[in-house]
Every structure is written in C-alpha cells, then in structure tokens.
Amino acid sequence: MSNIHDKAQELKRTLAESEEFSTLKSLHEQIAADEVANKMLENFRQLQLDLQQKQMQGIQITEEEAQKAQQQFELVQQHDLISKLMEAEQRLSVIIGDVNKIITEPLEEIYGNPDQQ
Amino acid sequence: MSNIHDKAQELKRTLAESEEFSTLKSLHEQIAADEVANKMLENFRQLQLDLQQKQMQGIQITEEEAQKAQQQFELVQQHDLISKLMEAEQRLSVIIGDVNKIITEPLEEIYGNPDQQ
C-alpha cells in the first residue's frame, strides 16, 4: 500500500499543480471576492441542490421549476466569471473522470468493462 | 493533462502490481475454475443486485427477502475461496477509496471537505 500511497500523492501534486486546477482555483477566488457573482452562484447552486434532492426522493419536478432552473442557468451563464468557472469545473471533472478510468482499468481485467456490457 | 495522464498510468501500474490486486485476481480465477463456488457466488451476486435495484426504485424489501439475503451471505461466507475473495475485494475497495480521497484533496482547498460539513 505504501507504494500505491506514494504514487497517489504524486498524482495529487500533479493535479494540484496543473493549469486546469490553478484556473479553477483562481476563478473560485475571484468569485468569492465579488459579492454579486457570489450571490448569483450561491442561488443557482442552491436551486440545483433542491431539485436534485427532490429527484432523489422521487418527487416529480414541475414544469415551472424546470423552467426556473433553465432561466437561472442562462442567467449565470451570462456572467463572465461564473461561466468561466463552470467551464473550468467541467474540464477538471473530465480529467478526474479520465484518471478514475485509468486507475480502475486493472479491475476490468477481473470484472470486465461495465461500459461494454 | 499529459503529465497527469502519466502519473495516473504510474499509479495504475502500481495498483496492478500490488499484492492486494494479485490476490484478488488469483482468487477470482480459482473461483471461475470451480463450478460449485462459481455458481454459489453468481447466485449471491444476483440476489444482491435484485435487492439493490428494488431499493433504488424505492421498493420496500420484505422481512423474508432480508432474511434470505442474510442466509445466502452466511452460506457463501462458509466457502473458503468466496470468503477470501470478499475479503480481498474489501481490501482493494478500501485502497481505491483511499486513493480517491488523496487525489481529490486539492479540490477540498476550493470546495471544503464534505465529510466535515
């Protein structure tokens, strides 16, 4: 495990030092320092969270709620910092997804590839 | 990303070469070659899967089903190879969990630690 642990730490440092991560961190800090942007983003996240929780509880989302979410999304997208942040989050999420795919490849040898089933 | 990719590949190799992974793979092969063990494990996995799917659909699991699952679990645990396999799976699952925790630490800098909220 110690070897695995060391390699995981190396990977972590590489991620933390990547341009993608620095960009995300910087945008996050810029938004935190911008009261309007911060509030907009907070409201949007809260709305998303509320809808997700409803879905997880099996509660049907109304037409009105879906429209409101879409409107809020279009609104925050128009904010330069927020749209850049969401893009940066998306990029990092793809990277983390790729990394997870790579490191769990050995398990595919044993259990097969779930994507191909 | 290329650097991250390289480090992820290194970590993957370390995982694939670990004693924990080799043990799991070997047990999996031994069970695959043992018709009785293989059938027992398959039945148990199928039962687990059925119950999980019910839970995900919000269907209440009956007392009888829960008892059957517990009995099946006790049964497969008595099989030496299967109980060893489950132990090996548990160990690897802990390792993968630890690895994920390490590599997503940089994100905690930005989003905070969800475990502490």
Side-chain angles (χ1 to χ4, degrees):
Chain A
M1 177 63 195
S2 77
N3 218 346
I4 298 172
H5 192 268
D6 291 347
K7 285 290 167 199
Q9 290 286 351
E10 281 178 35
L11 174 56
K12 178 185 97 172
R13 278 195 293 276
T14 312
L15 275 166
E17 287 160 8
S18 67
E19 184 253 321
E20 289 86 352
F21 180 76
S22 311
T23 303
L24 177 61
K25 200 178 168 192
S26 156
L27 286 164
H28 198 266
E29 284 163 359
Q30 287 174 67
I31 288 175
D34 179 329
E35 208 180 322
V36 174
N38 202 26
K39 193 77 208 154
M40 261 176 93
L41 186 59
E42 229 171 57
N43 286 342
F44 178 65
R45 300 265 203 233
Q46 190 57 52
L47 184 67
Q48 279 191 310
L49 205 63
D50 291 346
L51 293 185
Q52 269 171 24
Q53 279 172 346
K54 277 198 177 175
Q55 281 182 314
M56 273 164 50
Q57 291 163 5
I59 301 169
Q60 183 81 36
I61 285 165
T62 66
E63 183 77 18
E64 198 187 343
E65 284 172 325
Q67 265 182 17
K68 197 179 159 199
Q70 182 59 29
Q71 281 166 2
Q72 283 261 3
F73 178 70
E74 282 163 16
L75 187 72
V76 294
Q77 280 295 321
Q78 284 166 32
H79 193 293
D80 189 45
L81 279 178
I82 297 179
S83 71
K84 278 183 183 157
L85 179 84
M86 287 181 172
E87 231 172 79
E89 284 178 340
Q90 181 55 30
R91 280 167 72 201
L92 210 68
S93 147
V94 169
I95 291 174
I96 301 270
D98 287 348
V99 162
N100 275 325
K101 224 176 141 188
I102 291 170
I103 63 177
T104 54
E105 267 168 25
L107 294 174
E108 285 176 20
E109 269 185 63
I110 298 182
Y111 298 102
N113 181 348
D115 294 343
Q116 287 170 2
Q117 276 170 3
Chain B
M1 178 62 195
S2 77
N3 218 346
I4 297 172
H5 192 270
D6 291 347
K7 285 290 167 197
Q9 290 286 351
E10 282 178 35
L11 175 55
K12 178 185 97 173
R13 277 194 294 277
T14 312
L15 275 166
E17 287 159 7
S18 68
E19 183 253 321
E20 289 87 351
F21 180 76
S22 310
T23 303
L24 178 61
K25 201 177 165 193
S26 156
L27 285 164
H28 199 266
E29 284 162 0
Q30 288 174 66
I31 288 174
D34 178 331
E35 208 181 321
V36 173
N38 202 27
K39 194 76 207 156
M40 261 177 93
L41 186 59
E42 230 172 56
N43 287 342
F44 178 65
R45 300 266 202 234
Q46 191 56 52
L47 183 68
Q48 279 190 311
L49 205 64
D50 292 346
L51 293 185
Q52 270 170 23
Q53 279 172 347
K54 278 198 176 175
Q55 281 182 315
M56 274 163 51
Q57 290 163 5
I59 300 170
Q60 183 80 36
I61 284 165
T62 65
E63 182 77 18
E64 198 186 343
E65 284 171 326
Q67 264 181 17
K68 195 179 160 199
Q70 181 59 30
Q71 280 165 2
Q72 284 262 1
F73 178 69
E74 283 163 17
L75 187 73
V76 293
Q77 280 295 322
Q78 284 166 30
H79 194 291
D80 188 46
L81 279 178
I82 298 179
S83 71
K84 278 184 183 154
L85 179 85
M86 287 181 170
E87 229 173 80
E89 283 178 339
Q90 181 55 29
R91 281 167 73 199
L92 210 68
S93 148
V94 169
I95 291 174
I96 301 270
D98 287 347
V99 162
N100 275 323
K101 223 175 144 194
I102 291 170
I103 64 177
T104 54
E105 267 168 26
L107 294 175
E108 286 177 21
E109 270 186 62
I110 299 181
Y111 299 101
N113 181 347
D115 294 341
Q116 286 169 4
Q117 275 172 6

